[in-house]
Amino acid sequence: MSQLSTTIKPRRNVELALLLLALAVGIGASMLVGVDQEKAFDSDFWFQSSLLALAALVFHGVLRFRAKYADPVILPLVVALNGIGLAMIRRLDAPGDDTGNNQLRWTLIAMAVAIAVIWFLKDHRILRRFTFISLAASALLLVLPLVPGISAGEILGARVWIRLGPMTFQPGEVAKITLAIFFAGYLSSNRDLILLAGRKIGPLQFPRFKDMGPMITAWLVSIGVLIFQRDLGSSVLFFGLFIVMIYVATSRISWVVIGLALILGGGFAASRVFSHVELRISGWLNAFTPEVYDRAPGGSHQIVQGLFGMANGGLVGTGLGQGRPDLVPFANSDMIIASLGEELGLIGLFAIVLMYLLLFTRGFRAALGTRDAFGKLLACGLSFAVALQCFVVIGGVTRLIPLTGLTTPFLAAGGSSLLANWIIVGLLLMISHTARGPVDTTPLPPAKGAESVGIDTPTEAVKHL
């Protein structure tokens, strides 16, 4: 073990260099915003910049002690994205508005929670013991916004928030993590059962109907979110997460075909039954029609103004603080991509998208490198959850798909999203630490049901994938 450890480079110095560059990007963006508002280098700038830099460096220090083989690129990418988001939210703050400071507070809380995950979670395989507890937690989190007394009621047409004193919180953001843990644990323990031969139609091997129970359950959950919480984005995210994880576990394209059929069928039925879904689709297809543009509610004013803003930015943008993103409703949350597109231009927006692509690929690389089936599925699921959320948001803002209520990870204003996505970062760093570090052949007690497929050691787990 000691000889192997000397041949593997932790790359923490590389991470530190990249982290300093990431801080320069985020703090530099904040400085440009201050210059435009004639508040450059004031006490707020130095206080906020110092807190962000201190939190990032503490995070880096924890990785040196607790996860020294973790991927050196993930943390700098996330800090850069978070820093750009803080700068844009601060730029969009109206006089007396405290959204920028609130976003910074949530950033510090989220980073502290992610640090706690890294510090106390010594091995990600421990989470497999909580497979069905994660399922129960997911159900509880999804039901909370409907419980009288703590429900925040319907906000902007959706019932996805709970009220915690003066704050609101979106439990569904955390539910995507607990669902990923459940799916990873269930699929890694029951892969052989799911792979039992079914009917073959052409080149596709379809599973037996009785083995489709988990998929039908996931489909019903996503439809339930759509019906009771009126949240199209979360519905797509939860079901898409399951489809990808079961495809990774089985390598059968038939699951994707069945999943797409269920999505299209459920979406068509929802557009006929629920008015809010029909309005979203109508606003997407007929965005520039005057009747649709001026319609209230469900008009296309928001998406059209976002498109005009990005067109105004052109190739290089108007410059931070020089555009008019404030003309777009929810410019600092749902439409922050349009705000950045206007002031940073197509080049700046492509740079942000590229950072997201790098983040996804590093997550998938951790999945490929880890030696246990549960870790592979969990890393794939968490990485894909962030990727799908970005696709749904950016696709909606650019009118590629209907607009949903999801937030752009690390950029948009919202404490729930920040907390959940920083926890995902902590888990991915721990999985990448295991993937890149020396081989640990110490077996963990198998999860319930794991005995049937013989997943006891990392070496055996690889054979099942």
Side-chain angles (χ1 to χ4, degrees):
M1 179 70 72
S2 60
Q3 184 178 359
L4 181 59
S5 300
T6 59
T7 62
I8 300 176
K9 296 181 180 179
R11 302 289 186 184
R12 299 272 64 84
N13 290 335
V14 173
E15 179 184 74
L16 179 59
L18 293 175
L19 191 58
L20 294 176
L21 180 60
L23 288 170
V25 170
I27 295 174
S30 183
M31 181 193 68
L32 291 175
V33 168
V35 169
D36 177 74
Q37 297 176 342
E38 298 181 353
K39 294 188 294 185
F41 305 111
D42 60 1
S43 57
D44 285 344
F45 167 80
W46 288 114
F47 180 70
Q48 294 175 4
S49 300
S50 299
L51 283 179
L52 179 63
L54 179 62
L57 293 174
V58 169
F59 204 124
H60 168 75
V62 170
L63 289 179
R64 280 186 177 270
F65 286 99
R66 302 294 287 188
K68 65 179 181 179
Y69 297 107
D71 191 295
V73 180
I74 292 178
L75 179 61
L77 285 172
V78 174
V79 168
L81 289 168
N82 206 153
I84 293 171
L86 286 169
M88 179 52 70
I89 293 169
R90 180 189 176 198
R91 177 259 181 279
L92 290 167
D93 276 353
D97 194 353
D98 196 43
T99 306
N101 290 329
N102 188 56
Q103 185 77 351
L104 178 62
R105 285 191 288 269
W106 273 110
T107 297
L108 298 177
I109 292 171
M111 294 179 75
V113 173
I115 288 172
V117 169
I118 293 171
W119 189 266
F120 294 106
L121 185 65
K122 297 181 180 180
D123 191 328
H124 66 271
R125 293 180 294 168
I126 295 174
L127 294 175
R128 199 177 71 177
R129 300 172 182 171
F130 304 98
T131 296
F132 292 99
I133 293 177
S134 297
L135 176 62
S138 302
L140 177 63
L141 289 168
L142 292 175
V143 169
L144 280 178
L146 305 176
V147 176
I150 61 173
S151 172
E154 188 171 304
I155 301 176
L156 304 176
R159 297 175 60 90
V160 295
W161 285 273
I162 60 174
R163 193 167 296 281
L164 301 173
M167 302 185 303
T168 57
F169 188 80
Q170 189 174 344
E173 286 286 348
V174 181
K176 67 187 179 186
I177 302 175
T178 55
L179 279 173
I181 294 172
F182 165 69
F183 290 149
Y186 178 83
L187 293 172
S188 62
S189 300
N190 297 278
R191 181 175 178 270
D192 282 2
L193 175 65
I194 298 171
L195 280 175
L196 288 175
R199 179 173 298 180
K200 188 171 185 179
I201 302 177
L204 299 179
Q205 182 79 43
F206 286 91
R208 299 182 304 179
F209 182 77
K210 65 179 182 180
D211 297 327
M212 293 176 58
M215 175 170 283
I216 299 298
T217 302
W219 180 70
L220 291 175
V221 168
S222 64
I223 293 297
V225 170
L226 183 61
I227 294 174
F228 296 107
Q229 298 186 355
R230 303 169 65 89
D231 188 6
L232 179 62
S234 295
S235 178
V236 173
L237 177 62
F238 294 151
F239 191 65
L241 173 65
F242 176 71
I243 294 299
V244 165
M245 293 185 71
I246 198 169
Y247 171 71
V248 171
T250 63
S251 300
R252 283 189 176 173
I253 196 68
S254 56
W255 285 105
V256 178
V257 174
I258 296 171
L260 290 176
L262 290 174
I263 289 175
L264 293 175
F268 178 78
S271 68
R272 298 295 181 182
V273 176
F274 307 117
S275 59
H276 65 286
V277 177
E278 191 277 331
L279 290 175
R280 286 282 179 91
I281 296 176
S282 174
W284 168 53
L285 295 175
N286 308 292
F288 292 94
T289 303
E291 294 80 9
V292 175
Y293 180 84
D294 296 321
R295 184 174 59 196
S300 60
H301 172 264
Q302 182 184 30
I303 187 172
V304 171
Q305 286 297 318
L307 292 172
F308 284 160
M310 289 187 289
N312 183 48
L315 187 63
V316 297
T318 59
L320 276 174
Q322 299 297 316
R324 290 301 308 274
D326 54 293
L327 297 176
V328 183
F330 306 106
N332 64 357
S333 55
D334 293 6
M335 302 295 290
I336 196 167
I337 285 294
S339 304
L340 290 165
E342 179 177 0
E343 300 202 336
L344 299 181
L346 184 65
I347 294 176
L349 200 55
F350 274 11
I352 291 173
V353 172
L354 181 59
M355 282 193 283
Y356 277 122
L357 287 174
L358 286 173
L359 179 60
F360 310 151
T361 55
R362 302 307 289 199
F364 290 133
R365 181 173 180 176
L368 289 172
T370 193
R371 303 167 186 90
D372 65 292
F374 174 78
K376 288 179 183 293
L377 288 170
L378 183 59
C380 281
L382 295 176
S383 300
F384 180 79
V386 179
L388 181 59
Q389 192 164 341
C390 287
F391 171 77
V392 170
V393 172
I394 298 175
V397 171
T398 57
R399 202 169 161 245
L400 178 65
I401 58 176
L403 189 66
T404 66
L406 292 179
T407 56
T408 314
F410 307 110
L411 288 177
S416 313
S417 177
L418 265 181
L419 178 61
N421 287 303
W422 269 104
I423 292 175
I424 289 176
V425 168
L427 292 173
L428 288 177
L429 286 169
M430 287 305 300
I431 295 173
S432 68
H433 167 67
T434 303
R436 298 181 69 250
V439 177
D440 181 8
T441 58
T442 304
L444 289 178
K448 184 179 180 181
E451 299 92 330
S452 62
V453 294
I455 300 177
D456 290 330
T457 66
T459 304
E460 292 174 350
V462 174
K463 299 176 181 177
H464 289 272
L465 283 181

